[in-house]
Amino acid sequence: MNTLIDNITDEVTKAFVANGYDEKYGKVTLSNRPDLCEYQCNGAMAAAKEYKCAPFMISDKIAEALLGNSMFESAESVKPGFINLKLNGEYLAQYVSEMKADEGRFGCEKTENPKTIIVDYGGPNVAKPLHVGHLRSAIIGESVKRIGKFMGHKVIGDVHLGDWGLQMGLIIVELKERKPELVYFDESYTGEYPTEAPFTISELEEIYPTASGKSKVDEKFKAAALQATHELQQGRRGYQALLSHILNVSVTDLKRNYRNLNVNFELWKGESDAQPYIPDMVQMMKDKGYAYMSEGALVVDVAEETDTKEIPPCIILKSDGASLYSTTDLATIVMRVKDYNPDSIIYLTDQRQSMHFVQVFRCARKTGLVDEHVQLKHIGFGTMNGKDGKPFKTRDGGVMRLEYLLDEINGEMFKKIKENQKEKENLDITDEEVEQTAKTVALAAVKYGDLSNQASKDYVFDIERFTSFEGNTGPYILYTIVRIKSILKKYEASGKSLPQGDILGAHSASEKNLMLVLARFNAMMENAFEETAPHKICAYIYDLSNAFNSFYHETKILSEEDEAIQMSYIGLLMLTKGILETCIDVLGFSAPDRM
Ligand code: ARG
């Protein structure tokens, strides 16, 4: 289905052309004065310059030409030369009816030109617990991925595990100190290694920070860890076996955590998977003369003439020949091109990694790792702050583990829902159901709280505000959906079945406004995809919920006596529910049946 705004633009453009003006002046936008009109065209203002006349002479003609048009209820020329438009109610209802008939898509067509897009998000590090810093990457990345899928693209989410480097050596050395008798350390051993890991996830999560702490004060320990890392990377059997235990235990735990966040990855690749691609890549960069030695390191220049600030060279190998974070990311690009030939790779990390990605992307382009048409995009997000405006920490100042944070919010939500049930005297709900509902609502609170901000901005993680049932919050959106579900249920309980037919022209201003907001769905979704901007979906569903709730408060729906009108109302409810549910699914959360 064409977007409504395109349909309107087409009509207005025709009027411009019919009056002898260029078609480019017919562009229509959403009104910025909803008290005066619904849509507006400012083309006469610009056209006046070309045609050397007063703008209102043009806007007058256009408004007159549009008068008889069945698409509009009114078309007004307003000095100095604006054209204010209101849609005809029947036309709008027809548009909204077509949306409703287009079940599941609601007028938003899938792309005719599907692209392969890799979304690199999550980025947890093996053996380190997930902390709040990983939350944004997971939440925003999951939504970016789902938006792309909804638009019909082939989108592949890759967790890109941090499973390479010193942290592995640290764990190995620490483990060796604790349990030297383990067979993994016996170099003469040639048999099979045990399938059971010699540690649990909680041990692992304690071993790593301990080892990391030691390495900062104990030179010998650090040297041993470096050596172990080196031997691991050279393929020492016992260490390789330990690595797979570390990976298994860690990944099992990570999967559980991500499942609780309703985040799913298509690929569980890690930094280690890219390592085999490094030697050939480095050789190519040398052979083609891109990489050269500078102060002992192998580097590629990536500065460009137009740079306004200094962009340092991309370091490919350190002086000891070791690879770096950037080397791994470059090799990962090689691997992804080979495996998936993507049109686009989108990375989600903290903004503080921006320079890293500028260097990596430029280096990848310059050395020809990707074709020109391939888009490499870094979405750097801001910091999640506490109420004090500083990065979010636990009460005692430590890094907050994601699990504990979510538990806390689940608890908060549980209390709220209990209270709400008591108020509504809905006492037939079991504690188990409340607990399940609390989890669903809590997740919406956290995700919406994050996604409703433009990603690049810092935001304050305010549990109290996020969990509120009122205002611009996830629970408010869910509350709206639950309200609609409940009306539909009552309607069906009265023996009527949900109507398939058309929606009638609006009977009130609030109903028309609801239709106008509904009709923006396809254009909004396309735009959210183009701009990789989940916050636009949040802003939209907030508008939609407000529009619905105004309509709801002003309209008797279940007691409406005119059957046809009631059916039309119910149709509107079905469409509103369908769109809200589609949007929250794309954002990565869902609604309960009651709350
Ligand atoms: N593991 C990294 C971190 O914790 C994030 C990885 C992001 N993705 C990437 N391709 N560099 O900071």
Side-chain angles (χ1 to χ4, degrees):
M1 250 170 105
N2 286 338
T3 63
L4 182 60
I5 204 155
D6 282 349
N7 286 349
I8 304 171
T9 294
D10 281 351
E11 287 308 302
V12 176
T13 301
K14 275 190 220 154
F16 270 92
V17 173
N19 280 280
Y21 302 112
D22 194 288
E23 59 176 19
K24 71 175 179 238
Y25 296 115
K27 194 173 157 31
V28 168
T29 57
L30 216 62
S31 161
N32 52 22
R33 286 290 305 273
D35 52 326
L36 297 179
C37 61
E38 295 156 0
Y39 287 87
Q40 67 188 55
C41 170
N42 302 343
M45 302 294 289
K49 295 197 184 86
E50 180 178 339
Y51 299 101
K52 302 202 174 35
C53 61
F56 72 86
M57 295 183 62
I58 302 176
S59 57
D60 276 357
K61 277 197 221 163
I62 303 302
E64 205 183 295
L66 292 172
L67 263 188
N69 193 311
S70 62
M71 186 183 280
F72 304 105
E73 176 186 294
S74 67
E76 268 180 342
S77 166
V78 180
K79 281 195 176 149
F82 300 114
I83 304 158
N84 287 355
L85 302 165
K86 282 190 184 166
L87 285 184
N88 172 284
E90 296 303 322
Y91 173 78
L92 179 60
Q94 197 46 49
Y95 188 87
V96 172
S97 296
E98 273 176 50
M99 289 175 68
K100 176 172 173 277
D102 185 15
E103 229 176 288
R105 305 291 316 173
F106 314 111
C108 181
E109 284 169 30
K110 288 192 178 181
T111 176
E112 283 169 5
N113 179 15
K115 298 251 155 63
T116 300
I117 303 168
I118 294 180
V119 184
D120 177 317
Y121 68 111
N125 300 308
V126 162
K128 300 188 202 170
L130 283 178
H131 59 78
V132 296
H134 292 111
L135 189 64
R136 297 210 73 189
S137 181
I139 292 179
I140 304 170
E142 180 73 16
S143 175
V144 164
K145 186 177 82 181
R146 289 175 182 225
I147 296 171
K149 285 190 179 179
F150 184 76
M151 293 312 296
H153 297 281
K154 180 181 175 205
V155 197
I156 304 161
D158 183 359
V159 71
H160 197 71
L161 273 183
D163 61 354
W164 192 249
L166 188 60
Q167 86 232 48
M168 299 303 164
L170 286 168
I171 296 168
I172 292 173
V173 173
E174 177 65 19
L175 197 65
K176 192 171 176 181
E177 282 195 1
R178 294 183 188 195
K179 301 182 182 172
E181 71 284 359
L182 288 176
V183 61
Y184 306 92
F185 303 115
D186 177 357
E187 276 191 89
S188 61
Y189 183 75
T190 54
E192 296 264 313
Y193 289 104
T195 48
E196 188 93 357
F199 41 70
T200 63
I201 183 67
S202 15
E203 281 166 334
L204 193 57
E205 287 181 351
E206 179 267 317
I207 292 175
Y208 173 72
T210 308
S212 169
K214 268 194 201 170
S215 74
K216 287 185 186 118
V217 291
D218 183 342
E219 278 299 319
K220 258 177 67 192
F221 187 86
K222 178 154 188 201
L226 279 167
Q227 177 60 23
T229 309
H230 182 73
E231 285 176 37
L232 168 71
Q233 297 182 351
Q234 294 307 306
R236 181 165 159 176
R237 272 185 78 240
Y239 290 2
Q240 293 272 350
L242 274 179
L243 174 67
S244 36
H245 285 314
I246 298 173
L247 277 177
N248 277 338
V249 169
S250 201
V251 166
T252 308
D253 189 60
L254 285 170
K255 285 192 172 161
R256 183 181 58 79
N257 270 288
Y258 282 123
R259 206 178 312 120
N260 287 336
L261 284 174
N262 201 11
V263 167
N264 304 289
F265 299 94
E266 281 71 18
L267 293 179
W268 278 82
K269 297 258 186 206
E271 295 179 352
S272 65
D273 291 296
Q275 303 309 314
Y277 296 88
I278 292 180
D280 284 355
M281 179 184 83
V282 170
Q283 195 57 48
M284 178 280 284
M285 289 180 181
K286 284 186 189 159
D287 289 349
K288 294 197 175 160
Y290 295 122
Y292 67 95
M293 295 303 287
S294 166
E295 295 170 36
L298 187 71
V299 305
V300 171
D301 284 332
V302 293
E304 287 169 10
E305 261 171 35
T306 49
D307 289 342
T308 49
K309 63 174 183 194
E310 197 200 331
I311 311 287
C314 187
I315 305 178
I316 308 295
L317 296 176
K318 288 197 287 191
S319 46
D320 62 1
S323 56
L324 295 97
Y325 188 44
S326 40
T327 325
T328 301
D329 263 327
L330 287 164
T332 304
I333 292 178
V334 174
M335 175 174 78
R336 287 174 175 162
V337 167
K338 177 183 144 283
D339 291 348
Y340 300 100
N341 190 25
D343 298 290
S344 169
I345 310 177
I346 303 176
Y347 300 77
L348 288 114
T349 76
D350 191 302
Q351 235 160 41
R352 283 169 286 193
Q353 296 193 21
S354 298
M355 180 58 90
H356 164 76
F357 284 105
V358 169
Q359 292 173 306
V360 166
F361 293 171
R362 285 187 181 188
C363 182
R365 288 204 188 284
K366 180 173 178 179
T367 62
L369 301 185
V370 289
D371 284 351
E372 249 159 71
H373 81 272
V374 178
Q375 181 200 39
L376 298 172
K377 182 170 181 158
H378 175 227
I379 300 181
F381 45 78
T383 311
M384 179 171 136
N385 288 325
K387 270 189 177 171
D388 57 0
K390 301 206 184 93
F392 197 88
K393 293 268 161 69
T394 54
R395 285 200 189 92
D396 54 21
V399 175
M400 175 73 106
R401 279 183 63 157
L402 199 52
E403 260 187 295
Y404 301 159
L405 177 73
L406 292 178
D407 283 349
E408 196 176 320
I409 301 169
N410 287 344
E412 193 71 27
M413 222 53 245
F414 183 84
K415 273 190 266 164
K416 279 209 174 157
I417 293 174
K418 275 293 249 204
E419 272 164 33
N420 197 38
Q421 297 304 340
K422 240 189 251 158
E423 246 168 60
K424 291 206 277 177
E425 296 174 6
N426 246 345
L427 297 172
D428 60 322
I429 298 188
T430 62
D431 271 7
E432 268 144 47
E433 186 184 338
V434 175
E435 205 170 302
Q436 206 42 53
T437 304
K439 277 192 186 160
T440 308
V441 183
L443 189 62
V446 172
K447 286 194 165 187
Y448 189 92
D450 190 315
L451 292 167
S452 55
N453 302 285
Q454 202 177 321
S456 59
K457 301 231 164 86
D458 295 351
Y459 76 99
V460 173
F461 192 87
D462 181 345
I463 299 189
E464 213 165 275
R465 190 171 76 73
F466 288 1
T467 56
S468 168
F469 284 18
E470 278 147 42
N472 189 5
T473 70
Y476 170 66
I477 308 288
L478 299 193
Y479 207 85
T480 307
I481 297 176
V482 165
R483 172 172 277 161
I484 300 176
K485 282 186 182 180
S486 142
I487 304 171
L488 294 179
K489 220 161 111 189
K490 284 185 190 145
Y491 179 80
E492 284 187 289
S494 71
K496 302 174 183 168
S497 52
L498 297 179
Q500 300 303 318
D502 280 358
I503 290 163
L504 306 176
H507 303 82
S508 67
S510 65
E511 189 184 6
K512 187 174 189 193
N513 184 49
L514 173 59
M515 291 190 195
L516 284 167
V517 181
L518 285 167
R520 274 165 33 204
F521 172 68
N522 52 6
M524 177 286 298
M525 199 57 118
E526 283 168 21
N527 182 250
F529 172 73
E530 293 299 330
E531 300 187 7
T532 4
H535 72 276
K536 298 213 163 171
I537 302 178
C538 294
Y540 173 74
I541 56 178
Y542 182 51
D543 277 356
L544 182 53
S545 297
N546 284 336
F548 173 77
N549 287 315
S550 303
F551 164 72
Y552 166 82
H553 287 300
E554 285 178 14
T555 316
K556 292 194 179 66
I557 299 171
L558 289 170
S559 58
E560 173 58 53
E561 278 164 19
D562 184 321
E563 192 100 3
I565 295 179
Q566 188 181 49
M567 271 165 58
S568 172
Y569 287 161
I570 295 292
L572 260 187
L573 263 62
M574 290 161 67
L575 178 58
T576 306
K577 171 174 164 287
I579 289 183
L580 285 175
E581 283 177 333
T582 300
C583 287
I584 64 170
D585 184 56
V586 162
L587 293 172
F589 56 90
S590 58
D593 285 331
R594 48 184 183 176
M595 62 192 263

